[in-house]
Amino acid sequence: MDFLEPMIALDETHYQDGYKDGYDDGMVSGKEEGRQVGLKLGFQVGEELGFYQGCLDVWMSIIRLDQGAFSARVRKYMEQLAALLSNYPLSDPENNLQDMMKEIRLKFRVITGSLGAKLGYEGRPTSSEQDLEDI
Amino acid sequence: RIWKRAPDGAWHCSDVLEGVHESTVRSCAWSPDGKLLADASFDGTTAIWEYSGGDFELVDTLEGHVNEVKSVSWSQSGSMVATCSRDRAAWIWEILPGNDHECVDVLEGHTEDVKMVQWHPFFDVLVSVSYDNTIRVWADDGDGKWPCVQTLTEAGNSGHSSTVWSISFNQKGDRMVTCSDDCTLKIWDASIDLSQPTTGEGHESWRHISTLSGYHGRTIFSVHWSSEGVIASGAGDDAICLFAEENSMVEGPSYRLILKKEKAHDTDVNCVRWCPQNPRVLASVSDDGTVKLWELQGDILD
């Protein structure tokens, strides 16, 4: 049916035009939103890592002044934390960022737990596991 | 609360240890020498109390878990304490002189809330049980770490099909009993020292011996093996059951019910423990708010 073809073509053209407009707009707002989220998340991650690195720097200074300030076991934990922090990819994002951060947080807790120090990163977002208290 | 028995046999509360925890104190354990008491709290910490000069004093606090601590256990030497939590991990702590401590290892592997930890009476081995239905065995690798050397599952080891709540070793340390939300008790052969490297091929493992089912109609919350070989269990059906082991040459060990005390409490029995001094005396606690002491005479529990 030849007389129908231009109508179908028009429909298709309108669809394509709308799609292109939506795509272009989405690209712009998506990029902007991504930039905002990235900035926020990047700041949070950076701040938290900076906190741990800062604590580590203080501990390292103490060790330089007094070799016996911490036990061999705790010194080993501190070395492990240093390695974990330096391995964290600050520029190129990798897939297992969450796992790496969990490992860093745990190692930090093991150290503070062993020192009896009440140190905690205050800015950390609260746990999302808001379960009811169970038995 | 600390309860003492007066010369006339009556029990009274001698001390209330308070002002430390900000939330429920879920369980507690005496150190092997009886001088220290560790408690596990929902506030995420474990407090260590020392009994000296007739008073209990807070001497240390173990912090590390991120949420509720469910259970605490002292190693046989008293030099280590294990704790476990809803954060799915178990922590091993070394207790040092001067009321100090250090974290030895963090045991990760369970995929859900860890309900209880218990040290083997002789081996450098720790057992944990969990809401993930499994029993995990952790052993000292000689290098300061405690990897998981065995996981007892429903499919692979005839394990539990629901939350495992409690675990107890017999006095000899060659048997272990666990209890679960699946309303069964399971007995395991724990005679192999899993902390020793395996010789040759084929991993030695703890294996299932027996399953006791049909005795409790609800979740079994607690189980304890007396030094005389009697297994006590307490459950959500308000009852306490007692079992004894029988060894036949042909079929191996089996377990028979000695008695079932229906309505031992008005509601859920949360924990049962045999008295270390008198293996015929059993203590039980319940959601009904009471602590009851029972004596086993023959086949009567009263």
Side-chain angles (χ1 to χ4, degrees), chain A residues 70-74 76-77 80 106-107 109-110 112-118 124 129 131-135, chain B residues 23-24 26 42 63-66 68 70 86 88 91 93-94 101-106 108 113 115 143 165:
Chain A
F70 306 120
S71 74
R73 179 192 274 146
V74 171
K76 188 171 83 163
Y77 291 155
Q80 288 167 349
L106 180 60
K107 190 62 69 178
R109 266 190 289 128
V110 166
T112 55
S114 302
L115 295 178
K118 282 200 188 306
R124 180 165 18 111
E129 288 178 58
D131 301 273
L132 286 172
E133 183 179 296
D134 63 341
I135 44 177
Chain B
S23 189
T24 304
R26 174 73 170 71
F42 277 10
E63 288 185 56
H65 285 294
V66 290
E68 298 92 40
K70 299 300 177 88
R86 182 168 69 82
R88 303 175 203 150
W91 284 52
W93 308 84
E94 186 178 3
H101 63 267
E102 271 179 8
C103 170
V104 173
D105 202 2
V106 177
E108 297 185 294
D113 187 1
K115 297 294 189 188
D143 213 17
W165 279 95

Side-chain angles (χ1 to χ4, degrees), chain B residues 2 14-15 17 30 37 49-52 54-58:
Chain B
I2 310 290
S14 67
D15 295 88
L17 274 45
W30 293 101
L37 179 68
W49 304 81
E50 184 170 19
Y51 185 58
S52 71
D55 252 328
F56 281 87
E57 192 193 328
L58 177 72

Side-chain angles (χ1 to χ4, degrees), chain A residues 11-37:
Chain A
D11 211 25
E12 185 65 24
T13 315
H14 282 163
Y15 177 84
Q16 292 294 351
D17 281 349
Y19 185 91
K20 186 177 183 304
D21 284 345
Y23 188 94
D24 290 343
D25 287 348
M27 189 68 135
V28 170
S29 65
K31 256 191 182 159
E32 182 53 33
E33 209 178 298
R35 204 177 71 89
Q36 297 288 351
V37 170

